[in-house]
Amino acid sequence: MSVVTVKDKSFETYLDEATIQKRIKELAAKINTDYSGKKPLFIAILNGSFMFASDLFKHITIEAELSFIKLASYKGMKSSGNVVTSIGMDDDLFGKEVIIVEDIVDTGKTLYSFLPKLMHQQPKSLKIATLLHKSEATEYPLQLDYIGFVIPNKFVVGYGLDYDGLGRNLKEIYQLV
Ligand code: IMP
């Protein structure tokens, strides 16, 4: 168990590198089987999912495409948290087998607000792969098809996830002490 400081807070190891990588291989194997003979389009949501998307995609052995998009929400006096637009969404999803790749589903609001925009393009199918799921915190009904780890409702950093922009470079996932 190691402790790191990110900005002004202490975090301790929660999921080590080997555990994360082993689980990602398992998820990729399941996706390879489920999508055998198909050509899915993975859409990874930036910034947080870049490491997960990269490691997951390395273990995808079927024909597949990968795109990255960024979601932007209004930031007024108080951020509503409502997703209003996506940046980089230039793929035509019509008839495609789409797999959304997320780092973490917390309340579920981000994906829940964004999914209708994707569905509007009439993909053939739409599934969600998330590395982490804070199941106790989830308020919005979402079907999560591939889940790496169900975790408690505690703030985590590392492996792409940030605390105030920092900590994304850590190889392991750390939990607030
Ligand atoms: P949701 O809309 O509440 O599901 O939140 C999803 C987004 O909030 C994620 O994509 C992350 O960017 C961020 N987030 C939620 N929980 C954490 C956490 O524990 N650490 C870092 N980012 C988080």
Side-chain angles (χ1 to χ4, degrees), residues 144-158:
L144 303 174
D145 304 282
Y146 303 98
I147 299 173
F149 303 92
V150 173
I151 64 166
N153 190 11
K154 272 194 180 179
F155 196 80
V156 286
V157 288

Side-chain angles (χ1 to χ4, degrees), residues 108-166:
K109 189 170 187 173
T110 307
L111 278 187
Y112 189 78
S113 325
F114 182 57
L115 288 185
K117 287 188 201 267
L118 295 180
M119 292 309 290
H120 189 68
Q121 287 199 38
Q122 297 180 280
K124 188 169 181 193
S125 67
L126 183 68
K127 289 197 178 182
I128 300 171
T130 185
L131 179 64
L132 305 174
H133 181 208
K134 286 186 186 167
S135 58
E136 294 160 12
T138 304
E139 294 166 23
Y140 293 78
L142 278 177
Q143 179 172 335
L144 303 174
D145 304 282
Y146 303 98
I147 299 173
F149 303 92
V150 173
I151 64 166
N153 190 11
K154 272 194 180 179
F155 196 80
V156 286
V157 288
Y159 196 71
L161 291 133
D162 73 305
Y163 164 49
D164 220 2
L166 299 173

Side-chain angles (χ1 to χ4, degrees), residues 66-81:
L66 171 64
S67 266
F68 288 88
I69 61 166
K70 191 160 184 167
L71 304 183
S73 55
Y74 282 122
K75 291 219 166 64
M77 301 257 293
K78 264 189 185 166
S79 171
S80 64

Side-chain angles (χ1 to χ4, degrees), residues 77-96:
M77 301 257 293
K78 264 189 185 166
S79 171
S80 64
N82 287 330
V83 176
V84 291
T85 185
S86 55
I87 300 162
M89 189 66 233
D90 41 19
D91 294 278
D92 181 6
L93 304 187
F94 182 79
K96 293 224 166 155

